[in-house]
Amino acid sequence: VQNMLLGHETVRFGLLDEISMEQTAKRTLAEMQVTTVRNIRRPVGSLSGGQRQAVAVAKAVMLKAKLVVMDEPTAALGVSQTALVLETIKNLASRGIAVLVISHNLTDVFQVADRLAVLYLGRMVTAGPVSGYDTSSAVHWMTTGTAPGSTANGTTAATEHAPAPED
């Protein structure tokens, strides 16, 4: 509760309205379909990685965020915790909240993404609907900065590849 409402506490008669804050936190977690956090008074530090991600996202939703940026959200998480984070991302998208996922885990990216943008040495080299890519082509873009089938001098050996972004 304290983590989710930090800086946005409810005050009544000059005191923290603990009951109202607890109800707000419970309602937000329920709306986000976060069922793994059973005790909302439990310190965030004692939660699993997936639960921590869910609490952070629920806080953003509670504060009416239009965009949630997640940097390597499933790194160092177990299978069930990763599934929780991916479901949370899908839940946000279904609510019309934009989610920017920065990740090297292409399996996760392809499960939740509508669009893909690939950076190579800090520069965007391609972007487009995720349907225009597969794991192999995405890895090629990530590791070479060129379209699959391109040669070292930039000429294309194959005709089919994802388009490079316009500058």
Side-chain angles (χ1 to χ4, degrees):
V1 172
Q2 290 88 353
N3 184 288
M4 288 181 64
L5 290 155
L6 184 62
H8 302 278
E9 296 87 351
T10 305
V11 178
R12 186 173 176 200
F13 305 118
L15 301 171
L16 290 178
D17 187 349
E18 298 280 345
I19 294 171
S20 172
M21 291 180 358
E22 189 168 307
Q23 289 171 341
T24 299
K26 279 183 180 178
R27 184 175 48 252
T28 302
L29 289 170
E31 288 172 3
M32 290 297 303
Q33 300 172 351
V34 176
T35 58
T36 60
V37 178
R38 305 220 192 292
N39 178 359
I40 62 171
R41 290 284 178 188
R42 193 169 159 196
V44 171
S46 69
L47 299 176
S48 73
Q51 290 171 321
R52 290 178 190 192
Q53 289 277 9
V55 168
V57 169
K59 180 178 182 176
V61 168
M62 187 178 65
L63 298 175
K64 309 255 187 277
K66 302 282 187 236
L67 169 68
V68 174
V69 179
M70 302 181 88
D71 187 2
E72 300 289 352
T74 60
L77 297 183
V79 174
S80 62
Q81 295 168 350
T82 294
L84 172 65
V85 171
L86 296 178
E87 276 306 310
T88 302
I89 292 169
K90 291 175 186 176
N91 187 315
L92 288 171
S94 72
R95 295 166 158 262
I97 298 171
V99 183
L100 176 64
V101 178
I102 303 162
S103 181
H104 289 88
N105 188 327
L106 294 177
T107 302
D108 294 348
V109 169
F110 278 99
Q111 284 185 42
V112 296
D114 296 326
R115 297 184 54 78
L116 183 73
V118 178
L119 301 182
Y120 176 74
L121 301 177
R123 188 164 177 229
M124 187 166 56
V125 291
T126 187
V130 75
S131 60
Y133 302 87
D134 60 22
T135 303
S136 177
S137 66
V139 167
H140 186 85
W141 279 106
M142 290 169 69
T143 57
T144 68
T146 62
S150 293
T151 62
N153 65 8
T155 60
T156 303
T159 56
E160 290 188 78
H161 63 272
E166 295 179 17
D167 287 322

